[in-house]
Amino acid sequence: MAIAQSTAPLNPNGTPMPAKDAELVKNGSSSLKAKIDTSLLTETLATSLKEVPKPEDLVFGQVMTDHMLILSYAPESGWSAPEIKPYGPLSLDPSSSCFQYCPNVFEGMKAYIGPDGKPRLFRPELNMVRMEKSAERVALPPFDTTALLKLIKRLVAVDARWIPRSKGCSLYIRPTIIGTRAALGVAASNHALLYVIMSPTGPYFRTPSGISLLGVNEHVRSWPGGTGGYKLGLNYAPCFHPQRLAAEKGYQQVLWLIGENVTEAGAMNFFVVVKRDDGDLDIVTPPLDGTILPGVTRASVLSLLSAHPTQTSLPNLSNKTRLYTHERPITMTELAAWSAAGRLLECFVVGTAVVVTPVSRIGWQDRDIVLPEHKAVMGPVTAALYERLVDIQEGRVEWQGWSATCV
Amino acid sequence: MAIAQSTAPLNPNGTPMPAKDAELVKNGSSSLKAKIDTSLLTETLATSLKEVPKPEDLVFGQVMTDHMLILSYAPESGWSAPEIKPYGPLSLDPSSSCFQYCPNVFEGMKAYIGPDGKPRLFRPELNMVRMEKSAERVALPPFDTTALLKLIKRLVAVDARWIPRSKGCSLYIRPTIIGTRAALGVAASNHALLYVIMSPTGPYFRTPSGISLLGVNEHVRSWPGGTGGYKLGLNYAPCFHPQRLAAEKGYQQVLWLIGENVTEAGAMNFFVVVKRDDGDLDIVTPPLDGTILPGVTRASVLSLLSAHPTQTSLPNLSNKTRLYTHERPITMTELAAWSAAGRLLECFVVGTAVVVTPVSRIGWQDRDIVLPEHKAVMGPVTAALYERLVDIQEGRVEWQGWSATCV
């Protein structure tokens, strides 16, 4: 063995890297590369507008609005002038990275109409920061998060008539970056397309009661050192087949396990409410150990729970009940034991698309852990979080600047 | 806890699944769904043909041939009539699964010109079977592998002038299936596009000596229960960022570890040649435990090694040398110990793109394990495998029907 020699950066095929690429390797997020010039935005509006579906007919993510935002990246010129233009297909070389090697990232955000009639967004800067990290994880070019958020707000303003007015409905926003390098050699994509599309949405789940989960560990969604902590398209496709197997058994979503440890439920963060010996409540969710998506709703739920009852009173929850939040591993054996002891009061999943949704039962080793039934479907903590979050998101309750008008 | 109830299949949003989809869930690979009717093939030839690059100018995967094969899948009608048509862009909805959730699979195959002047393929049926398994893993529709292979042979015939004649050069073939469901709900893609593109290629690595590897375990490529054993586009993008970090340190490829255990090198299978106490050779590669791609070249190398010297004599290897193949875990500590004892004779990586390529050094914990130098760059076992494989692939040596003319 000898001491490793540090040499100039190499291409994967062993040739020396061109100076410009070597620079990028050393300085992935330099502000120069990331620059998006919002002053160059061009807007081409659709000549005929689509009919907006009624709120009760909305199925998540099926109908897109009239317009999209799009810009492209090339190593020699950086990000192109942004365009808002009629929603339409992308034309891409069949050898593009996005098809072959999947360096594709996305975000999920929502726009709401406040009581003042103005569009608003919920903590959008958190989505921008997460998207920046996701892009870096799959070696996509960096981008100016402030500029992108400004452009998203403009797109929302252009298609504001698409934001549903009904409570619990919203305009789902899907920022996406895909790698568009057109070559088959296995290497980072030095070309990219950044686009934002939007879809009006009602409740994600149309289930009269809570959703059912099946604990699965023969397929593993994420692992230490993997990519489960980033919002990458590639985290999702491996879940489709296990999801089908769960559906065959009559469960709606998979509860992803590593061994016995709970990670996520479907594509949502997982919470349980456990009664303590002193009558107060423990509210537990798995920690951000790299296998869990750092959800914006997850962070918001933890924050709201910690604020009760000292900084705020969550709806219909007694101020005498103390809520103790814990980010720590949860095992299936624990869940079963809490259930058997009558201490497992509620279980719910959270995410931008689903907001806060109750769980009714969890299949594990050919048995079901059945959650207690509640008159209003949601248990008191689940209901309190749902109500308060939606009130903040839709601008009826002001809380720490989480929701702000965007035009 | 109560016994789990088995109910009718459900959509992920909790609504009952339409009968047709429920059927698909229960019978993913039914021959009806998989049917590709090769008699419906239409061919539209390019009106102007591109210039074929000289073999010495070839860079892997950068220039595509004149034509491509394409067909599409819809749940109501199955696979469309196949088309061979001029190479050109795909037009896809921005909400398509392939961009958002990455249910994308591919294969790597090569066509060669034999001494008889006819195109030939190397064990293509193995690629078809693997692609079928990969598609199932990400819930893409099934397809008739025999029909697809027939269509690929036809495409090779159409673009046969693109197959390089020089030794070690070939026409790389990239069959691809991408999910094209145009909706944002997280669910299996019930629409797909299957296409095949081709690119003339010389040696993948243009390195005068063997390639350098950096052992990495802070990023983990694959995991038990994950997707490392399938050829999915989504296995590749997470490797780009660690690959950049390795390039910065002057290494060409990452040697992917789980803890101390070697899995793959870059996107290639990894082999070592170790001198035994009795003077014979142990040739070791990690086992197919779900974290390793079941490579066609890997299987072929193991098979050839086992055949020496009883069934065949590998080029320039003594018939007195016994080669003992082992598929078992390899740790970095073992590699370092073998190296220190002077027993680590050769190390090489294999794959369709790289064939058999020697490794010169492996970085690990700020030191290098340096492989012995050989006059002809490749050590004797590496050279013997490379020579024999290329001879079989290019039709100069017949071996167990591995290479057959395809038109």
Short mmCIF file of all heavy atoms in Angstrom, two decimals, chain B residues 268-294:
data_model
loop_
_atom_site.label_atom_id
_atom_site.label_comp_id
_atom_site.label_asym_id
_atom_site.label_seq_id
_atom_site.Cartn_x
_atom_site.Cartn_y
_atom_site.Cartn_z
N MET B 268 -20.07 -1.49 -12.60
CA MET B 268 -19.45 -2.71 -13.13
C MET B 268 -19.30 -3.75 -12.03
O MET B 268 -19.20 -3.40 -10.85
CB MET B 268 -18.07 -2.36 -13.70
CG MET B 268 -18.13 -1.27 -14.79
SD MET B 268 -16.54 -0.45 -15.08
CE MET B 268 -16.36 0.55 -13.61
N ASN B 269 -19.27 -5.02 -12.41
CA ASN B 269 -19.00 -6.07 -11.44
C ASN B 269 -17.49 -6.15 -11.18
O ASN B 269 -16.68 -5.87 -12.06
CB ASN B 269 -19.54 -7.42 -11.94
CG ASN B 269 -21.05 -7.46 -12.00
OD1 ASN B 269 -21.65 -7.75 -13.03
ND2 ASN B 269 -21.70 -7.16 -10.88
N PHE B 270 -17.13 -6.58 -9.98
CA PHE B 270 -15.77 -6.49 -9.47
C PHE B 270 -15.20 -7.89 -9.21
O PHE B 270 -15.88 -8.73 -8.62
CB PHE B 270 -15.81 -5.68 -8.17
CG PHE B 270 -14.50 -5.51 -7.46
CD1 PHE B 270 -13.65 -4.47 -7.81
CD2 PHE B 270 -14.13 -6.36 -6.42
CE1 PHE B 270 -12.44 -4.29 -7.14
CE2 PHE B 270 -12.93 -6.18 -5.75
CZ PHE B 270 -12.09 -5.14 -6.11
N PHE B 271 -13.98 -8.11 -9.66
CA PHE B 271 -13.30 -9.41 -9.47
C PHE B 271 -11.88 -9.19 -8.95
O PHE B 271 -11.23 -8.21 -9.33
CB PHE B 271 -13.16 -10.16 -10.82
CG PHE B 271 -14.43 -10.78 -11.33
CD1 PHE B 271 -15.40 -10.03 -11.95
CD2 PHE B 271 -14.64 -12.16 -11.19
CE1 PHE B 271 -16.55 -10.62 -12.45
CE2 PHE B 271 -15.80 -12.76 -11.68
CZ PHE B 271 -16.76 -11.99 -12.31
N VAL B 272 -11.41 -10.13 -8.13
CA VAL B 272 -10.00 -10.14 -7.76
C VAL B 272 -9.40 -11.53 -8.01
O VAL B 272 -10.10 -12.54 -7.92
CB VAL B 272 -9.74 -9.76 -6.27
CG1 VAL B 272 -9.95 -8.28 -6.06
CG2 VAL B 272 -10.62 -10.57 -5.34
N VAL B 273 -8.11 -11.53 -8.31
CA VAL B 273 -7.35 -12.77 -8.51
C VAL B 273 -6.35 -12.87 -7.37
O VAL B 273 -5.52 -11.97 -7.19
CB VAL B 273 -6.60 -12.74 -9.86
CG1 VAL B 273 -5.81 -14.05 -10.04
CG2 VAL B 273 -7.57 -12.52 -11.02
N VAL B 274 -6.46 -13.94 -6.58
CA VAL B 274 -5.64 -14.08 -5.37
C VAL B 274 -4.83 -15.38 -5.49
O VAL B 274 -5.36 -16.44 -5.81
CB VAL B 274 -6.54 -14.14 -4.11
CG1 VAL B 274 -5.68 -14.21 -2.85
CG2 VAL B 274 -7.48 -12.94 -4.06
N LYS B 275 -3.51 -15.28 -5.20
CA LYS B 275 -2.64 -16.45 -5.26
C LYS B 275 -2.89 -17.32 -4.03
O LYS B 275 -2.91 -16.84 -2.90
CB LYS B 275 -1.18 -15.99 -5.28
CG LYS B 275 -0.22 -17.08 -5.67
CD LYS B 275 1.09 -16.44 -6.12
CE LYS B 275 2.21 -16.81 -5.15
NZ LYS B 275 3.44 -16.09 -5.54
N ARG B 276 -3.09 -18.61 -4.28
CA ARG B 276 -3.30 -19.55 -3.18
C ARG B 276 -1.95 -20.07 -2.67
O ARG B 276 -0.93 -19.96 -3.35
CB ARG B 276 -4.12 -20.74 -3.68
CG ARG B 276 -5.53 -20.39 -4.08
CD ARG B 276 -6.10 -21.46 -4.99
NE ARG B 276 -6.11 -22.78 -4.35
CZ ARG B 276 -7.19 -23.35 -3.86
NH1 ARG B 276 -8.37 -22.73 -3.94
NH2 ARG B 276 -7.13 -24.55 -3.31
N ASP B 277 -1.98 -20.69 -1.50
CA ASP B 277 -0.75 -21.26 -0.94
C ASP B 277 -0.19 -22.35 -1.86
O ASP B 277 1.02 -22.52 -1.97
CB ASP B 277 -1.02 -21.85 0.45
CG ASP B 277 -1.31 -20.74 1.47
OD1 ASP B 277 -0.87 -19.59 1.22
OD2 ASP B 277 -1.97 -21.01 2.48
N ASP B 278 -1.10 -23.06 -2.56
CA ASP B 278 -0.63 -24.14 -3.44
C ASP B 278 -0.22 -23.63 -4.82
O ASP B 278 0.08 -24.42 -5.71
CB ASP B 278 -1.70 -25.23 -3.57
CG ASP B 278 -3.01 -24.70 -4.17
OD1 ASP B 278 -3.01 -23.55 -4.70
OD2 ASP B 278 -4.02 -25.41 -4.12
N GLY B 279 -0.23 -22.30 -5.02
CA GLY B 279 0.21 -21.74 -6.29
C GLY B 279 -0.89 -21.59 -7.32
O GLY B 279 -0.72 -20.90 -8.33
N ASP B 280 -2.03 -22.22 -7.08
CA ASP B 280 -3.17 -22.00 -7.97
C ASP B 280 -3.83 -20.65 -7.64
O ASP B 280 -3.36 -19.93 -6.76
CB ASP B 280 -4.18 -23.15 -7.82
CG ASP B 280 -3.66 -24.44 -8.48
OD1 ASP B 280 -2.82 -24.33 -9.41
OD2 ASP B 280 -4.07 -25.52 -8.06
N LEU B 281 -4.91 -20.34 -8.37
CA LEU B 281 -5.51 -19.00 -8.22
C LEU B 281 -6.96 -19.08 -7.73
O LEU B 281 -7.75 -19.88 -8.25
CB LEU B 281 -5.48 -18.27 -9.56
CG LEU B 281 -4.11 -18.06 -10.19
CD1 LEU B 281 -4.24 -17.37 -11.54
CD2 LEU B 281 -3.19 -17.25 -9.27
N ASP B 282 -7.29 -18.23 -6.75
CA ASP B 282 -8.69 -18.00 -6.38
C ASP B 282 -9.16 -16.75 -7.12
O ASP B 282 -8.46 -15.72 -7.11
CB ASP B 282 -8.82 -17.74 -4.88
CG ASP B 282 -8.74 -19.03 -4.06
OD1 ASP B 282 -9.22 -20.07 -4.57
OD2 ASP B 282 -8.21 -18.98 -2.94
N ILE B 283 -10.32 -16.86 -7.76
CA ILE B 283 -10.87 -15.68 -8.43
C ILE B 283 -12.22 -15.41 -7.78
O ILE B 283 -13.12 -16.25 -7.81
CB ILE B 283 -10.96 -15.91 -9.94
CG1 ILE B 283 -9.51 -16.10 -10.45
CG2 ILE B 283 -11.60 -14.71 -10.64
CD1 ILE B 283 -9.42 -16.76 -11.77
N VAL B 284 -12.32 -14.23 -7.15
CA VAL B 284 -13.43 -13.97 -6.23
C VAL B 284 -14.24 -12.77 -6.71
O VAL B 284 -13.68 -11.76 -7.13
CB VAL B 284 -12.90 -13.68 -4.80
CG1 VAL B 284 -14.04 -13.71 -3.79
CG2 VAL B 284 -11.82 -14.68 -4.41
N THR B 285 -15.56 -12.89 -6.62
CA THR B 285 -16.47 -11.77 -6.92
C THR B 285 -17.62 -11.83 -5.91
O THR B 285 -17.99 -12.91 -5.45
CB THR B 285 -16.98 -11.85 -8.38
OG1 THR B 285 -17.60 -10.61 -8.74
CG2 THR B 285 -18.00 -12.97 -8.59
N PRO B 286 -18.18 -10.66 -5.54
CA PRO B 286 -19.27 -10.67 -4.56
C PRO B 286 -20.49 -11.45 -5.08
O PRO B 286 -20.74 -11.49 -6.28
CB PRO B 286 -19.60 -9.19 -4.37
CG PRO B 286 -18.35 -8.47 -4.76
CD PRO B 286 -17.77 -9.28 -5.88
N PRO B 287 -21.25 -12.07 -4.17
CA PRO B 287 -22.39 -12.91 -4.56
C PRO B 287 -23.62 -12.07 -4.94
O PRO B 287 -23.73 -10.90 -4.55
CB PRO B 287 -22.68 -13.69 -3.28
CG PRO B 287 -22.28 -12.76 -2.18
CD PRO B 287 -21.10 -11.98 -2.71
N LEU B 288 -24.53 -12.69 -5.67
CA LEU B 288 -25.77 -12.02 -6.10
C LEU B 288 -26.77 -12.04 -4.94
O LEU B 288 -27.71 -12.82 -4.92
CB LEU B 288 -26.35 -12.70 -7.34
CG LEU B 288 -25.46 -12.71 -8.58
CD1 LEU B 288 -26.16 -13.42 -9.74
CD2 LEU B 288 -25.10 -11.28 -8.98
N ASP B 289 -26.56 -11.14 -3.97
CA ASP B 289 -27.41 -11.11 -2.78
C ASP B 289 -28.50 -10.04 -2.87
O ASP B 289 -29.11 -9.69 -1.88
CB ASP B 289 -26.54 -10.86 -1.55
CG ASP B 289 -25.80 -9.52 -1.63
OD1 ASP B 289 -25.96 -8.82 -2.65
OD2 ASP B 289 -25.08 -9.18 -0.68
N GLY B 290 -28.71 -9.52 -4.08
CA GLY B 290 -29.72 -8.46 -4.24
C GLY B 290 -29.11 -7.08 -4.32
O GLY B 290 -29.77 -6.12 -4.71
N THR B 291 -27.84 -6.94 -3.92
CA THR B 291 -27.18 -5.63 -4.00
C THR B 291 -26.30 -5.51 -5.23
O THR B 291 -25.73 -4.46 -5.49
CB THR B 291 -26.29 -5.36 -2.75
OG1 THR B 291 -25.18 -6.27 -2.77
CG2 THR B 291 -27.08 -5.58 -1.46
N ILE B 292 -26.20 -6.61 -6.00
CA ILE B 292 -25.25 -6.70 -7.12
C ILE B 292 -26.05 -6.93 -8.40
O ILE B 292 -26.94 -7.78 -8.43
CB ILE B 292 -24.33 -7.92 -6.93
CG1 ILE B 292 -23.68 -7.91 -5.55
CG2 ILE B 292 -23.32 -8.03 -8.06
CD1 ILE B 292 -22.47 -7.05 -5.44
N LEU B 293 -25.70 -6.21 -9.46
CA LEU B 293 -26.35 -6.46 -10.74
C LEU B 293 -25.90 -7.82 -11.29
O LEU B 293 -24.70 -8.09 -11.36
CB LEU B 293 -25.98 -5.37 -11.75
CG LEU B 293 -26.78 -5.49 -13.06
CD1 LEU B 293 -28.20 -4.97 -12.87
CD2 LEU B 293 -26.10 -4.76 -14.20
N PRO B 294 -26.85 -8.68 -11.66
CA PRO B 294 -26.47 -9.97 -12.26
C PRO B 294 -26.00 -9.75 -13.70
O PRO B 294 -26.76 -9.89 -14.66
CB PRO B 294 -27.75 -10.80 -12.19
CG PRO B 294 -28.87 -9.81 -12.09
CD PRO B 294 -28.30 -8.53 -11.52
#
